[in-house]
Amino acid sequence: MNKWRLSLSLSGKMVYLSHLDLLASFERALRRSGLPVSYSSGFNPHMLISWGPAHPVGVGGDNECCDLVFTEPVDQQWPQKLNTVLPDGMRINKARPLEDGAVSLMAAINYAQYIIELENIVNTVAFDAAIERLLDADSYVIERISPKGRKRLDIRSAIDTLKLDDNLLYFGCRLGGGPTPKISELADILGVTVCSARRTGLFIDGNNGRMLP
Amino acid sequence: MLAINIWPQIKNNLPNVQKPAQYIGGEYNQISKDPAKVAASMAFCFPDTYEIGMSHLGLRIIYEAINAEDDLLCERVFAPQADMEAKLRQQHLPLFSLENHRPLAEFDLIGFTLQYEMSYSNVLNMLELAEMPLLSDQRNSWPLVIAGGPCVYNPEPLSDFIDIFVIGEGEQVVIELMRLVKEVKIANGDKQELLNRALKIEGLYIPCFYKKVATKNGIIIREPQSGQASAVVKKRLCADLDKSIFPLKALLPNIQAVHDRLMLEIMRGCGRGCRFCQAGVIYRPIRERNLNLLREQARQLVAATGYEDIGLLSLSSADYSCISELIDMLIADHSCSNVGVALPSLRVDAFSVDLAAKVQQVRKSGLTFAPEAGSQRMRNIINKGVSEEDIFAATEAAFSQGYTAIKLYFMIGLPYENNEDVAAIADLTQRILYAGKNVKPAEIRKPLKLTLGVASFVPKPHTPFQWHGADGEDVLKEKQELLKKQLRPIKSITMNYHDITTSLLEAAFARGDCRLGKVLLRAHAKGCRFDGWKEFFRADLWEQAFEEEGLDYRQIAAQTFNHEDALPWQHISSCVDSDWLWQENVKAADGQPTVDCRNGECNCCGVCSNLDAANVLAQKAGDDHE
């Protein structure tokens, strides 16, 4: 069994890396580790890794995931070897051999759970009203300005749950359907200031409930 | 004393800036020291963005050299981009280093590397963001501001701002200077004491010891105030590259750098003697690293970084004496782990394409050649030493091996150039394309593509062409138009050319005198920065700044000097004799060749005798010398 599915955590300064830079960083660590990673053939061979949904810049992750192919069977303990050469803030939590024909992460994962740490909410009444307004609406259109221009996006369908506990906001987000809000956009809608945010898990949400990939 | 660290304040701004990873530090292999526990510290400032600065080998070498000393510390600083700069200014936060997020004013030395004249406005902007007075004579205490890099061979445009210029290769002299800082600080000495004592270190130009003297042709030169300062400051050199320090645990950039690969420096210096080339003069003599040492360094670098490409760096890597052996060795050692070799600078000949073919065993990249000029007459004038046969041998070999995209670099505006020489660029390019179509393997469907980079020649100090003025705006425009007219209709040829105003400003700062300091101050005050970036360059503001100082950059760029004229940079020496440069300039007019001195025949440029050094060539494996 040479194909593995792994879950890794992102914390500290690593959360500021873009998804692409994170990939490069992870691949270099794999090369340093000397593990027998498989490469594609062709003029520009690349490592056979496929990632789950990209992590948003600035947001930590407890269970980011990717699939990785080795050229030969490897020892069960291989993640330890990789962990010694990963940058501070990047760490493999779990790895399991993947059965043949498993659905790819990108195709399977359709749900993300976030924990957003907020600064003290001064006006709780206004905050509760804002959450209610958002959850009661059928559609909620925001404007996103990027270097490429302005876009109007309906983010309502992506928002599954929003629950406040103390100063922690639990956000359940549907992926792969409509556009998803950035954490900063969500904060603007709710009129709150974010201290930090973490994606605690990526899931396959189906008829049988919510499962880890 | 507790070191100040402004990371919490910087962190707060990260969600609201582009590419926040450029401000975080903490890269893999970063060297971290406690600033409170060292005797002297330097903030190494690269006056451009993180992505560009992290591609620069000089930064890596100096960083390694200083941090290898237990009592010394070097941290990195890059120019913040506009969004982060605005946040720093709004919140009154100072510019900071990446390792400990420490304000620049907390260091003993602030050291800039000057790689490009158009980064000078960033030097001033970074000083201002560091909350430092810009002018040297307005700073009476620590930190001192120093500068090195190729542009310091004419330090004058920045001589009002920089306390000490480091001329030549910096890895040894910077340690000497920092040890002096340590001594002076222990004795509670001040800036003036440090400057006085620094006069004894060779390779340092300290402008405050030199007076400004006007010459009869209207320029300002520098002469020593007193007998203490030497009339000419000679460059520093690492005579033996095998013994000099090299970073083997290379820092891995957090965001993709412009050149994001392992950097293996295989030699310094180049003996080809292209007459426009400043690097070819200031890095003389040729010093190649030992083959086995390089093999070992590559092994360690690959293991420490996990990079997928080994870049063989030098001014002309195909010239390295044992280049084939080196590439074979590296491929043998690393291809099984899918690590490739990259040759960033290729010569224009078939041999180089063979090298490229070896390199491509692992990973295939595009090829770049620099014929520099279109006509043989011009190539003789610049002493490029490349014939049309070489050019066709190289490009046909490349196309027949299956490369479909080739980049070609040319220059326009060279001395003695006429419109036929410019037209020859278009003609040559079309013939290369035509020849390529004939040799292209049938199985390759992809159409051939040529990309031309056409730069406007900028005369640089310490070159045989240092006495020549740059072509004027109209002439350069006409030459660009001429090329565009001929090449635009051809779909498979793309032509990129340089902005003329930028080139003329570069030319003015390359050969200008200390009066440009005032222009720079004005341009900075008006908001000029990142002048090398098209999207930020403000020609109108530069125009105003020059006008207000009563100077004209076009005129400075176009200034032609005679042999007997004083030059603004004559107090700085590359140790290549000025008479030899002039002789080369005279030979250029007749297109007479000068041979590469690596082949044994000395062409008497003077560098070896002036520095008591010599060309060092690598020996093949087996007959390795001790």
Side-chain angles (χ1 to χ4, degrees):
Chain A
M1 191 60 68
N2 298 338
K3 195 168 182 184
W4 292 72
R5 178 156 289 179
L6 40 142
S7 144
L8 60 153
S9 64
L10 280 182
S11 61
K13 287 180 171 172
M14 282 300 123
V15 308
Y16 297 105
L17 262 59
S18 72
H19 186 61
L20 277 179
D21 292 326
L22 184 80
L23 266 54
S25 185
F26 188 73
E27 289 183 12
R28 284 170 194 161
L30 273 169
R31 258 183 240 109
R32 291 194 293 273
S33 75
L35 289 162
V37 185
S38 276
Y39 282 77
S40 68
S41 47
F43 275 136
N44 278 301
H46 58 266
M47 284 188 177
L48 293 179
I49 307 178
S50 38
W51 288 80
H55 94 106
V57 178
V59 174
D62 296 346
N63 283 294
E64 301 299 305
C65 45
C66 70
D67 292 343
L68 176 59
V69 185
F70 291 118
T71 56
E72 55 192 73
V74 286
D75 185 88
Q76 285 280 351
Q77 303 302 314
W78 71 266
Q80 286 172 17
K81 198 172 175 184
L82 184 55
N83 274 338
T84 59
V85 292
L86 277 172
D88 282 348
M90 213 186 280
R91 201 166 174 79
I92 300 177
N93 310 319
K94 276 179 297 201
R96 67 171 174 93
L98 196 62
E99 61 281 9
D100 281 335
V103 183
S104 78
L105 289 166
M106 277 310 277
I109 291 173
N110 57 3
Y111 198 91
Q113 182 78 53
Y114 292 86
I115 296 184
I116 305 164
E117 191 193 339
L118 303 176
E119 272 183 18
N120 282 337
I121 297 166
V122 188
N123 188 341
T124 47
V125 178
F127 176 80
D128 291 341
I131 283 211
E132 211 176 292
R133 213 165 34 243
L134 179 55
L135 293 180
D136 285 351
D138 292 329
S139 116
Y140 201 102
V141 177
I142 58 164
E143 193 177 63
R144 184 176 294 171
I145 304 169
S146 76
K148 283 175 200 154
R150 286 161 186 271
K151 256 193 236 165
R152 288 174 65 78
L153 304 167
D154 185 352
I155 48 110
R156 177 61 192 90
S157 67
I159 298 170
D160 181 38
T161 56
L162 275 173
K163 280 184 203 120
L164 186 72
D165 183 3
D166 233 352
N167 64 335
L168 298 180
L169 181 65
Y170 292 79
F171 169 37
C173 180
R174 296 189 196 96
L175 303 176
T180 55
K182 296 179 183 178
I183 301 297
S184 58
E185 290 166 342
L186 195 60
D188 287 345
I189 294 170
L190 302 176
V192 291
T193 309
V194 174
C195 295
S196 67
R198 231 162 77 227
R199 185 153 77 180
T200 50
L202 289 163
F203 303 94
I204 303 164
D205 194 30
N207 298 333
N208 309 323
R210 205 167 290 157
M211 294 182 309
L212 285 168
Chain B
M1 194 183 71
L2 208 68
I4 300 173
N5 185 323
I6 62 165
W7 167 245
Q9 291 93 313
I10 298 304
K11 190 179 159 190
N12 284 340
N13 287 299
L14 295 180
N16 304 313
V17 296
Q18 297 281 320
K19 299 189 183 177
Q22 65 188 305
Y23 306 112
I24 63 178
E27 295 91 337
Y28 196 78
N29 287 335
Q30 174 184 282
I31 302 172
S32 294
K33 290 185 176 181
D34 182 350
K37 288 183 181 151
V38 296
S41 62
M42 179 168 101
F44 188 115
C45 300
F46 195 96
D48 210 312
T49 60
Y50 180 88
E51 290 147 286
I52 295 189
M54 285 299 285
S55 307
H56 182 242
L57 180 62
L59 179 156
R60 309 298 194 97
I61 294 175
I62 299 291
Y63 184 76
E64 180 77 16
I66 296 175
N67 285 321
E69 307 290 324
D70 284 339
D71 54 341
L72 306 179
L73 165 75
C74 178
E75 300 192 356
R76 294 161 299 140
V77 183
F78 300 92
Q81 305 218 18
D83 54 357
M84 183 54 118
E85 179 182 338
K87 307 263 177 224
L88 294 178
R89 288 184 187 275
Q90 275 160 21
Q91 297 161 33
H92 304 288
L93 291 170
L95 186 59
F96 53 89
S97 66
L98 290 188
E99 279 72 7
N100 285 301
H101 290 84
R102 221 176 148 212
L104 265 60
E106 298 294 305
F107 289 81
D108 302 314
L109 294 176
I110 296 178
F112 285 95
T113 179
L114 307 178
Q115 297 292 319
Y116 179 35
E117 291 80 359
M118 300 310 285
S119 69
Y120 289 177
S121 60
N122 276 11
V123 172
L124 266 57
N125 200 41
M126 288 171 80
L127 279 176
E128 185 177 271
L129 287 170
E131 298 170 355
M132 301 280 296
L134 300 183
L135 292 163
S136 175
D137 60 12
Q138 288 174 4
R139 298 187 303 258
N140 300 313
S141 57
W142 306 98
L144 267 69
V145 179
I146 69 173
C151 290
V152 303
Y153 281 89
N154 175 20
E156 289 312 316
L158 284 176
S159 61
D160 288 342
F161 310 100
I162 305 292
D163 300 316
I164 302 175
F165 289 95
V166 178
I167 314 297
E169 294 167 10
E171 51 264 74
Q172 286 154 6
V173 61
V174 75
I175 304 293
E176 292 165 29
L177 180 62
M178 289 185 76
R179 284 272 143 72
L180 181 65
V181 168
K182 174 180 172 179
E183 273 179 43
V184 172
K185 271 178 66 192
I186 288 172
N188 270 321
D190 62 0
K191 172 178 170 180
Q192 197 53 46
E193 189 190 336
L194 183 97
L195 294 179
N196 290 338
R197 291 180 62 183
L199 275 175
K200 294 203 182 69
I201 298 178
E202 245 192 279
L204 300 184
Y205 166 54
I206 309 172
C208 69
F209 295 115
Y210 294 77
K211 59 186 176 214
K212 298 175 177 176
V213 180
T215 67
K216 61 178 187 329
N217 55 357
I219 61 150
I220 313 257
I221 57 163
R222 293 283 202 158
E223 286 174 2
Q225 302 264 23
S226 69
Q228 281 179 297
S230 49
V232 172
V233 179
K234 286 185 0 180
K235 78 169 178 198
R236 292 291 295 262
L237 178 93
C238 298
D240 187 350
L241 269 202
D242 291 346
K243 294 200 178 94
S244 75
I245 193 152
F246 194 75
L248 296 175
K249 278 192 165 183
L251 271 167
L252 293 176
N254 276 335
I255 59 177
Q256 197 188 359
V258 179
H259 300 290
D260 212 354
R261 58 164 75 102
L262 192 154
M263 295 189 248
L264 187 65
E265 188 186 31
I266 64 174
M267 68 174 163
R268 279 187 205 168
C270 173
R272 304 185 79 80
C274 298
R275 291 178 178 130
F276 56 85
C277 179
Q278 190 192 42
V281 175
I282 62 177
Y283 294 110
R284 284 180 177 224
I286 300 163
R287 288 147 294 151
E288 297 184 342
R289 254 198 191 115
N290 174 286
L291 194 59
N292 291 329
L293 177 64
L294 287 173
R295 183 181 203 170
E296 182 50 32
Q297 290 185 335
R299 254 191 215 138
Q300 290 187 38
L301 274 161
V302 168
T305 61
Y307 263 128
E308 59 272 43
D309 274 314
I310 304 171
L312 304 181
L313 303 197
S314 74
L315 292 171
S316 176
S317 293
D319 285 344
Y320 178 80
S321 300
C322 312
I323 188 69
S324 293
E325 290 86 345
L326 176 63
I327 292 176
D328 287 342
M329 264 182 186
L330 295 178
I331 288 175
D333 290 351
H334 301 287
S335 65
C336 57
S337 42
N338 276 286
V339 174
V341 177
L343 268 175
S345 58
L346 279 187
R347 249 169 24 198
V348 193
D349 55 23
F351 173 73
S352 296
V353 179
D354 290 344
L355 293 181
K358 280 181 196 255
V359 162
Q360 170 208 311
Q361 287 171 10
V362 178
R363 195 171 282 108
K364 187 163 186 162
S365 54
L367 285 188
T368 302
F369 299 106
E372 312 287 6
S375 69
Q376 193 57 46
R377 189 186 87 88
M378 271 323 292
R379 287 194 297 272
N380 292 344
I381 286 170
I382 63 177
N383 198 41
K384 182 66 191 174
V386 165
S387 66
E388 200 159 295
E389 292 82 74
D390 292 328
I391 297 172
F392 281 97
T395 51
E396 286 181 21
F399 285 131
S400 63
Q401 284 172 22
Y403 286 95
T404 54
I406 289 183
K407 270 191 204 154
L408 297 167
Y409 285 144
F410 291 101
M411 272 190 283
I412 54 172
L414 287 158
Y416 313 109
E417 181 185 67
N418 56 41
N419 282 356
E420 282 97 79
D421 297 311
V422 177
I425 295 175
D427 178 61
L428 179 66
T429 313
Q430 292 174 74
R431 285 187 292 133
I432 288 172
L433 185 67
Y434 186 74
K437 284 177 179 161
N438 285 334
V439 297
K440 182 183 147 184
E443 68 271 18
I444 291 181
R445 294 239 181 86
K446 215 169 163 188
L448 300 186
K449 192 171 151 45
L450 286 179
T451 305
L452 256 67
V454 182
S456 302
F457 168 65
V458 172
K460 294 275 160 124
H462 304 275
T463 65
F465 289 162
Q466 66 177 349
W467 290 277
H468 290 266
D471 266 358
E473 204 166 353
D474 296 344
V475 179
L476 286 172
K477 195 158 201 146
E478 188 191 325
K479 289 177 175 175
Q480 284 185 353
E481 288 303 323
L482 199 151
L483 281 179
K484 275 190 237 172
K485 212 172 101 190
Q486 298 199 30
L487 294 178
R488 205 166 258 166
I490 306 168
K491 252 174 69 186
S492 32
I493 298 177
T494 311
M495 182 183 139
N496 304 316
Y497 48 93
H498 285 189
D499 173 62
I500 293 173
T501 310
T502 309
S503 296
L504 293 181
L505 272 171
E506 182 190 341
F509 279 96
R511 295 190 311 144
D513 60 29
C514 55
R515 288 173 300 169
L516 289 176
K518 296 215 166 58
V519 179
L520 207 48
L521 262 183
R522 285 186 188 273
H524 167 252
K526 291 175 191 300
C528 289
R529 65 205 58 174
F530 288 108
D531 295 307
W533 296 64
K534 246 189 221 151
E535 57 270 50
F536 300 117
F537 178 60
R538 290 285 305 271
D540 54 333
L541 299 182
W542 278 106
E543 205 77 53
Q544 288 169 19
F546 270 92
E547 216 173 282
E548 287 165 20
E549 277 305 316
L551 291 170
D552 182 359
Y553 65 87
R554 297 176 184 83
Q555 190 215 319
I556 300 170
Q559 176 141 27
T560 297
F561 294 102
N562 294 316
H563 185 34
E564 59 281 5
D565 286 342
L567 302 170
W569 55 90
Q570 63 182 16
H571 52 306
I572 306 296
S573 170
S574 69
C575 294
V576 167
D577 292 332
S578 177
D579 285 344
W580 182 79
L581 294 177
W582 179 259
Q583 194 188 309
E584 280 297 298
N585 179 35
V586 172
K587 283 169 86 177
D590 300 331
Q592 284 181 51
T594 296
V595 295
D596 189 336
C597 68
R598 71 156 52 241
N599 302 322
E601 197 181 324
C602 173
N603 47 49
C604 303
C605 73
V607 76
C608 292
S609 52
N610 289 334
L611 283 167
D612 195 20
N615 282 348
V616 178
L617 302 184
Q619 312 289 311
K620 290 203 162 78
D623 46 64
D624 224 9
H625 64 142
E626 229 358 277

mmCIF file of all heavy atoms in Angstrom, chain B residues 603-620:
data_model
loop_
_atom_site.group_PDB
_atom_site.id
_atom_site.type_symbol
_atom_site.label_atom_id
_atom_site.label_comp_id
_atom_site.label_asym_id
_atom_site.label_seq_id
_atom_site.Cartn_x
_atom_site.Cartn_y
_atom_site.Cartn_z
ATOM 1 N N ASN B 603 46.092 39.822 -20.804
ATOM 2 C CA ASN B 603 45.954 41.046 -21.592
ATOM 3 C C ASN B 603 46.241 42.303 -20.770
ATOM 4 O O ASN B 603 45.861 43.400 -21.139
ATOM 5 C CB ASN B 603 44.622 41.092 -22.361
ATOM 6 C CG ASN B 603 43.450 40.730 -21.491
ATOM 7 O OD1 ASN B 603 43.314 41.254 -20.394
ATOM 8 N ND2 ASN B 603 42.610 39.826 -21.962
ATOM 9 N N CYS B 604 46.946 42.104 -19.671
ATOM 10 C CA CYS B 604 47.552 43.220 -18.927
ATOM 11 C C CYS B 604 46.541 44.258 -18.439
ATOM 12 O O CYS B 604 46.780 45.457 -18.537
ATOM 13 C CB CYS B 604 48.627 43.903 -19.763
ATOM 14 S SG CYS B 604 49.898 42.772 -20.293
ATOM 15 N N CYS B 605 45.410 43.791 -17.897
ATOM 16 C CA CYS B 605 44.443 44.747 -17.361
ATOM 17 C C CYS B 605 44.925 45.294 -16.023
ATOM 18 O O CYS B 605 44.409 46.300 -15.529
ATOM 19 C CB CYS B 605 43.076 44.092 -17.219
ATOM 20 S SG CYS B 605 42.957 42.918 -15.861
ATOM 21 N N GLY B 606 45.879 44.614 -15.404
ATOM 22 C CA GLY B 606 46.491 45.138 -14.186
ATOM 23 C C GLY B 606 45.934 44.592 -12.894
ATOM 24 O O GLY B 606 46.505 44.788 -11.826
ATOM 25 N N VAL B 607 44.791 43.889 -12.954
ATOM 26 C CA VAL B 607 44.132 43.510 -11.701
ATOM 27 C C VAL B 607 44.989 42.564 -10.852
ATOM 28 O O VAL B 607 45.055 42.697 -9.636
ATOM 29 C CB VAL B 607 42.714 42.933 -11.959
ATOM 30 C CG1 VAL B 607 42.757 41.506 -12.481
ATOM 31 C CG2 VAL B 607 41.866 43.002 -10.700
ATOM 32 N N CYS B 608 45.663 41.617 -11.518
ATOM 33 C CA CYS B 608 46.423 40.623 -10.754
ATOM 34 C C CYS B 608 47.604 41.268 -10.035
ATOM 35 O O CYS B 608 47.847 41.011 -8.853
ATOM 36 C CB CYS B 608 46.893 39.497 -11.669
ATOM 37 S SG CYS B 608 45.517 38.492 -12.274
ATOM 38 N N SER B 609 48.334 42.141 -10.747
ATOM 39 C CA SER B 609 49.487 42.758 -10.090
ATOM 40 C C SER B 609 49.041 43.776 -9.041
ATOM 41 O O SER B 609 49.633 43.873 -7.970
ATOM 42 C CB SER B 609 50.409 43.405 -11.131
ATOM 43 O OG SER B 609 49.671 44.263 -11.959
ATOM 44 N N ASN B 610 47.945 44.490 -9.306
ATOM 45 C CA ASN B 610 47.485 45.482 -8.325
ATOM 46 C C ASN B 610 46.971 44.843 -7.030
ATOM 47 O O ASN B 610 46.978 45.473 -5.983
ATOM 48 C CB ASN B 610 46.367 46.346 -8.919
ATOM 49 C CG ASN B 610 46.898 47.291 -9.979
ATOM 50 O OD1 ASN B 610 48.084 47.660 -9.947
ATOM 51 N ND2 ASN B 610 46.059 47.679 -10.921
ATOM 52 N N LEU B 611 46.502 43.609 -7.136
ATOM 53 C CA LEU B 611 45.939 42.955 -5.954
ATOM 54 C C LEU B 611 46.774 41.783 -5.478
ATOM 55 O O LEU B 611 46.396 41.095 -4.531
ATOM 56 C CB LEU B 611 44.520 42.445 -6.267
ATOM 57 C CG LEU B 611 43.430 43.507 -6.274
ATOM 58 C CD1 LEU B 611 42.162 42.959 -6.902
ATOM 59 C CD2 LEU B 611 43.136 43.984 -4.854
ATOM 60 N N ASP B 612 47.907 41.556 -6.151
ATOM 61 C CA ASP B 612 48.738 40.407 -5.842
ATOM 62 C C ASP B 612 47.889 39.134 -5.861
ATOM 63 O O ASP B 612 47.908 38.323 -4.936
ATOM 64 C CB ASP B 612 49.414 40.594 -4.471
ATOM 65 C CG ASP B 612 50.555 39.592 -4.298
ATOM 66 O OD1 ASP B 612 51.037 39.071 -5.326
ATOM 67 O OD2 ASP B 612 50.921 39.323 -3.135
ATOM 68 N N ALA B 613 47.092 39.006 -6.913
ATOM 69 C CA ALA B 613 46.203 37.851 -7.056
ATOM 70 C C ALA B 613 46.450 37.232 -8.430
ATOM 71 O O ALA B 613 47.316 37.692 -9.177
ATOM 72 C CB ALA B 613 44.752 38.294 -6.915
ATOM 73 N N ALA B 614 45.697 36.190 -8.741
ATOM 74 C CA ALA B 614 45.853 35.548 -10.040
ATOM 75 C C ALA B 614 44.564 34.831 -10.401
ATOM 76 O O ALA B 614 43.735 34.561 -9.536
ATOM 77 C CB ALA B 614 46.999 34.536 -9.975
ATOM 78 N N ASN B 615 44.407 34.519 -11.695
ATOM 79 C CA ASN B 615 43.303 33.659 -12.097
ATOM 80 C C ASN B 615 43.483 32.312 -11.416
ATOM 81 O O ASN B 615 44.597 31.782 -11.374
ATOM 82 C CB ASN B 615 43.324 33.433 -13.613
ATOM 83 C CG ASN B 615 42.762 34.631 -14.373
ATOM 84 O OD1 ASN B 615 42.169 35.530 -13.789
ATOM 85 N ND2 ASN B 615 42.962 34.633 -15.685
ATOM 86 N N VAL B 616 42.395 31.775 -10.893
ATOM 87 C CA VAL B 616 42.449 30.440 -10.286
ATOM 88 C C VAL B 616 41.493 29.563 -11.074
ATOM 89 O O VAL B 616 40.298 29.838 -11.128
ATOM 90 C CB VAL B 616 41.993 30.483 -8.808
ATOM 91 C CG1 VAL B 616 42.017 29.076 -8.214
ATOM 92 C CG2 VAL B 616 42.865 31.424 -8.002
ATOM 93 N N LEU B 617 42.019 28.532 -11.734
ATOM 94 C CA LEU B 617 41.160 27.661 -12.522
ATOM 95 C C LEU B 617 41.043 26.302 -11.859
ATOM 96 O O LEU B 617 42.010 25.792 -11.297
ATOM 97 C CB LEU B 617 41.721 27.510 -13.945
ATOM 98 C CG LEU B 617 41.894 28.825 -14.720
ATOM 99 C CD1 LEU B 617 42.359 28.560 -16.143
ATOM 100 C CD2 LEU B 617 40.605 29.651 -14.743
ATOM 101 N N ALA B 618 39.853 25.723 -11.938
ATOM 102 C CA ALA B 618 39.619 24.416 -11.300
ATOM 103 C C ALA B 618 40.336 23.324 -12.076
ATOM 104 O O ALA B 618 40.455 23.401 -13.302
ATOM 105 C CB ALA B 618 38.126 24.137 -11.234
ATOM 106 N N GLN B 619 40.829 22.323 -11.352
ATOM 107 C CA GLN B 619 41.502 21.190 -11.984
ATOM 108 C C GLN B 619 40.509 20.056 -12.115
ATOM 109 O O GLN B 619 39.628 19.895 -11.278
ATOM 110 C CB GLN B 619 42.669 20.718 -11.114
ATOM 111 C CG GLN B 619 43.582 21.824 -10.636
ATOM 112 C CD GLN B 619 44.422 22.393 -11.745
ATOM 113 O OE1 GLN B 619 45.045 21.643 -12.486
ATOM 114 N NE2 GLN B 619 44.427 23.706 -11.881
ATOM 115 N N LYS B 620 40.743 19.235 -13.167
ATOM 116 C CA LYS B 620 39.875 18.070 -13.334
ATOM 117 C C LYS B 620 40.077 17.098 -12.177
ATOM 118 O O LYS B 620 41.133 17.060 -11.568
ATOM 119 C CB LYS B 620 40.215 17.361 -14.649
ATOM 120 C CG LYS B 620 39.802 18.178 -15.848
ATOM 121 C CD LYS B 620 39.619 17.282 -17.063
ATOM 122 C CE LYS B 620 38.802 17.962 -18.128
ATOM 123 N NZ LYS B 620 39.520 18.936 -18.918
#
